[in-house]
Structures are given as structure tokens and as C-alpha cells.
Amino acid sequence: MARPKLKEHHINREWCKGCGICVEFCPKKVLELDRYDKAVIAVLEKCIACRLCELRCPDLAITIETQDQIP
Amino acid sequence: MSVKDYIRERFFPHIWCAGCGHGIVLNNLLRAVGGLGMSKNEIVMVSGIGCSSRISGYVDFHTLHTLHGRALAFATGVKLSKPELNVIVPMGDGDALAIGGNHFIHAARRNIAMTAIVMNNRIYGMTGGQYSPLSGPGKLATTAPYRNIDQDFDIVKLAKAAGATFVARTTTYHIQQMADILRQAILHDGFSVVEILSQCPTYFGRRNKLGNAADMMKFFKDNTTPIGSKAKKENPELTERGIFVQNDLPEYCAEYDKIIKKAGGSC
Amino acid sequence: MGSQVKFIQGNEVCVEAALYAGLDFFAGYPITPSTEIAEHLAYRLPQAGGKFIQMEDEIASMCAIIGASLTGQKVLTATSGPGFSLMQEALGYAVMAEIPCVIVNVQRGGPSTGIPTHISQGDVNQARWGTHGDHAIIALTASNHQDVFAMTVEAFNMAETYRTPVVLLFDEVVGHMREKLILPQTNEIPLVKRLKTSVDGGVDYHPYLAREDGRLPMSDFGGVHRYNVTGLYHDMWGFPSDNPKIVHGLLRHLVDKIESNADTIARYKEHYLEDAKKVLISYGASARSALHVVNTLRQKGQKYGLLELQTLWPFPHQVIRDRCNGAEHIIVVEMNLGQICREVKNAVDHPDRVFLANRVDGVFINPSDIRQTLRLIQGRGV
């Protein structure tokens, strides 16, 4: 099965508490914390849609949509 | 599936601190449940009191937020009276094993079908960081200012000895394993215990200088290993992860239905 | 079919009545002098398709029946003093979350382990105030087997009507005594069914929004409405709230639904009260001796009467005032240091006319004990 391609990477800023777990464990270093201590995308092109940030987010603030996904 | 189909969105953002492992448990518990294709109407979540217990308020199931330590006793009433329901009981380490220790071993002994999740962060978080039966010796807590002298429990050994027919351990770092174990635990027809090592960066981590939430999760990564791994043989200090027990023994509600038949009643 | 007559123990009567009322689920823990209730239900309940479980302690028993009640079942637990103490936290939960359930306390002497195989009525105030926080409670009692049956059925009916725990305060003598019971026929006593919501699935259901009559229609766990139940102050959906208006409103609701129906909840029996100059007030096993005294004195032409209380909480102040108005003496007969006597003094216009006839030594109060007190009262020339 082909690796799913990223369609969209959502971060809900209202829910994000800025713990930095997603930043720390992203294998491609796609994410960072902004000056408000909220997770943001630094380099979207590097995202491989592995979902580790989504699954480890304690705030349920991250949603990954992939292209094979039914919207 | 989307986790949003299983939560009560209006209560978000949740009350847990930044980096709290309990949110990761919620996240992956919902993914485990979502993968099972059950109706939300068939699921009852029963919780006690503590940080962990607030999980029941966020899920869109039948939810029963009860008393400190008593979740399994309430859950026993729900399950035995309506065995067709799937009962999930998330608890904290103090909730499950200090004040609720007696209910924990007896629910295990009865082998009543429900899923007990012990979100073990080794501290009483809701009350501000007192030592729990899982803190372990040498740790600092507001009630252990000279370091803790209490020995801790091994939840897996305790659950095994008490007769639980499904016993597993995982951590908030090992999310895929967590979702997989939770899925199997919910499907198991008997009493399941899943210990999830969870981080409390606010009280346990900060006071014991264990770093931030990610550092605490890295500790889980570096200090745990799959059951029976080569690494465990080389380093016995490592904590094993995985499914320790998965037995098929008579389930309590099914056994009680036999009693009703024997007595001449009809279910 | 004619009425069935039985010669059985009071605890067994409670079992028969609970089954008559439609009991589905019992959880309990053995304790003298209530154990026979669990023993008989272990045998009888599965015959009726119900479920019996012996839990690891009384705390768990009380919690388990609350869980079972939420799935739509009629539930019961039975215990005695020490076990009743352990149940108090969960009893308060049932008050707060408005869970119908019935708790039997076959009283023994306390405090602590006390005197397990002997009689006492020392838990009257514990039934009222055992759990923490302001609240209201219903507690019923009975002095003989026919009334044990009637009050047990009443307890289930009131639990459903008011969505509240109801305490049955029996005592060791009534629980262990054997006497005649005429088993009521099916449909002879009306039964209150669980009031279920008529709101369809998909429509916003408010589990904690009372109807105009104050009743709260329930939805069973496992049904189409998924809601939250908590011991925290909560809004009409059952979710925690610390909004002062909601907190105040809920507390008032919990208390008023019972206190403002005190007259409807009051159950009592009157003996010779029409022209009584001296009124004995008693309840439970003590009322048997009190009735004997009143019967004897009436035969001698003395105008004594007896008011036997069956509802202890909410305390029937109005009934006491009405029946004792103009009485020269009011003598409260009970087996404690005056727990109901204190309430009676609060209820009447002349508390100085209220006296206590009691025994607190584990021995059943007999008619001569009561007559002794009556002689003392007369000696004072009050």
C-alpha cells in the first residue's frame, strides 16, 4: 500500500496548550511552537502524514487529512 | 474515524494541564473504540474521582462520574444488571489502587467483563501532588518532602494475582500499542486491566526534576521494552510492555445467567 | 386465589415485599442482624429473573445498586449500623444524582461494632444526617410484619416517585421476630413504575430538568440518550457546574422535592387519639410495647393514646402538632437517647410537656419500663 499523502494538517489553536510533544516527536521536524506557545507548522513540505503528532496530542488539537481519505 | 465523533466537543479545551498524559489516553482510547464499530449507546464509561476520572465528561457515551475509588463497584452494578453493555472504567493510580484497591482486586477475582484502565502517573494530581501508592520510594511529593519511603505496587503482578483474565501494560509514548491493547481489552470477555504509564509534568515531573512532558515520554521510551525482549534480559531494570495475561475463564454475568436458569427464573 | 398466610421472620417479610414491589437487583454484604435479607434474596431473586451479588463490602454494595438503578432496575441493599456508616458517602451520591434505591438498615446497638445481636433504634439521626452536606431523605419504619411489608413496598414507590434513596429503618426485634404475615395479592397494593422519558432519540433530553410536578423522567443507561451522571453539582444535562444559580437551584430542588411533600410522605397510625389527654409517640418495635401500655390504660378508663410513626424523615411536624395539640403529656417511647423526642419537642407548642421513655442497654423496652416513666411523670405533678 502506498504511503498516504498529506492533504491538510489542522492545528486547533483553541485547544492546543503548547506542551511541545508534537514538536519533540515529529520525525521530520515539521512543527514548532510559536511565540504564543501554540504548535504551528514550520515546514509543511516535509510532512509525511505519519500522524504521530495527531495520535500523541494530549489536547486532541491536531487533525491530519490525507488524500486517500473520504472527507 | 474521527475522534470528534466520540467526544463532547463543547467541553474542549479540556481541564488537564499542558502535556498531561491523560489526554493521550483519551485520544487513543477513542481511536480504539472507533475501530470496533460499536454503537455509542452500547458503551458506558464509569469513572471515579481525580484528574483521570474527568475523562468521562469528555466522551459521548453513557457516562457515570462517581466517587473516589468506587468506579468499579458502580460499574459492577451497571454491568451485572445489563450485561449487553460494554463498560469501560478509566481510573487513576490513587483512585484504582489506594482508596479503590479492594474493589480492584475483587472485580478482578470475579472476572466480570469490563475494561479497567489505570492511568498511572504516580501522583495525586487533582489535589496538588501528594504521593500515591505508585510513586515509589525516593520520590518527592508535597506529602513526601523528605522523599517517599512507601514501596509501590506492580499493577501487572497485582492484577494477575487477583485473577484478572487480561492484563497489559503500555505507555503514552507507545500510542499504536496503546490503541491496539485497548481494543483487545475491550473485546476481551472478562475483567481486563490495562496499565498505562502516563506523565504528570506539573506535579510529578517538575518536583522530581524529570523534565517536561516530552522528556517524561522519552523516559517511557528508553526505560520500557516489549515482554521477554532481549533488552530485558540484558537490563532487568527495564519495565516490560505488552499483554501479560489473556485467559479464557468463565465470565461473571454469564455465570449468573446460569444461576437464574438453575433457580427456574428467566433472564 | 385466596390470601396467603405465612409465619415468617421480619427480614424475610422485607424480602417478600421487595419482590412484590418488583425488585430486580440486590447487592449486599453480610452483617447481623440484617443478613437473612441477603440470604433469602440470594435464593429468591434469581427465581424471579433478578440478580443478587454479594460485594466485597457495604461501600461497594451501595455503589453497585446505584449503577444497576441507572439501567432501569429496582434496587435494594440491606445492612446494619457499621455497614450503614460505610454506605453514607454513596447514599449522598444517590441523593445528589437522584437515583431511586432502597436501603434497609436493621438497627443494632452502636456506636462502632456495638452490640450486634441486640436491639437499638440509635440510627435514626444517622439516617437523617449520615451523609455530608445539606440534603433531605426519606426514612420509613414499621413495628409489625404486615407493616414491614407495606412500608417496604412504600419505600420502593417513594424512591421512584421522588427519585431518591429511601431508608428502611427496621430494628433487630422486628427483623428477627417471627409472626403472621398475610401476603397481599398481586395488584392489591399499587406499585409505582419508573417514570421514563418520552423524548425520542436525537432530541435534546434534559435528564435533570424537572417537570412541573417536580418529577424527573429517566432514560436508562444503554438507551438512546447518552448523558452524564455525577455527584458534583450539575446542570440540567448532568454536567458539572459551579454556577451559583445552578448550585443553589439544585440544592433547593433536592431538599424541596421531599420537604415540601412531607405531608404526602407521612405514614403513621393512630390509636385512641380522638380524646386522648396523654399521647405516646413511638415507632418500630418500641411501638409494640407502647400500644400494649395504651391498651391496658384504656381498659382502666385512662385517656391515653398512641401515635405510631412510620415515616421518620422527613419528620412529620404537622402530624405531631395536630395530634398533640392540647395533650397534657407527650411521652416519646424509643430505644435511644431521645433522637425522635428532640424532634417532637421542636414540633409542639409546649416542649416542657414532652418526656422520654427509653432503654439503651440492648434490652427490648417493655411495657413496665414505659409505665415506670409514666409514674415518674405523674409524681412530678406536671
Side-chain angles (χ1 to χ4, degrees), chain B residues 41 63 65 81 103 110 256, chain C residues 56 71 93 226 228-230:
Chain B
N41 291 341
T63 54
H65 177 233
S81 63
H103 309 306
R110 279 186 201 106
Y256 199 87
Chain C
E56 53 272 19
T71 70
Y93 184 93
R226 297 181 301 276
N228 191 52
V229 177
T230 178

Side-chain angles (χ1 to χ4, degrees), chain B residues 8 10-11 40-41 60 62-65 70 73-74 77-78 80-82 85 103 106 110 252 256 263 265-266, chain C residues 46-47 49-53 55-56 59 63-64 67-68 70-71 73 93 221-223 225-230 239:
Chain B
R8 292 163 171 155
R10 63 189 181 282
F11 299 124
K40 289 189 279 186
N41 291 341
D60 187 20
H62 300 282
T63 54
L64 181 55
H65 177 233
R70 316 298 172 203
F74 281 87
V78 172
L80 181 57
S81 63
K82 220 173 200 177
L85 295 174
H103 309 306
H106 286 278
R110 279 186 201 106
Y252 192 83
Y256 199 87
S266 56
Chain C
Q47 292 177 338
K51 309 230 167 134
F52 168 95
I53 186 169
M55 296 298 287
E56 53 272 19
I59 298 171
C63 296
L70 278 164
T71 70
Q73 308 222 321
Y93 184 93
F221 268 26
H225 300 292
R226 297 181 301 276
Y227 60 100
N228 191 52
V229 177
T230 178
F239 290 105

Side-chain angles (χ1 to χ4, degrees), chain C residues 184-213:
Chain C
Q185 294 182 39
T186 316
N187 300 327
E188 193 179 324
I189 307 177
L191 301 178
V192 178
K193 278 192 190 155
R194 175 80 42 103
L195 180 66
K196 303 261 173 95
T197 180
S198 55
V199 173
D200 291 331
V203 180
D204 197 10
Y205 161 64
H206 303 99
Y208 289 100
L209 182 64
R211 300 195 311 196
E212 269 184 27
D213 63 358

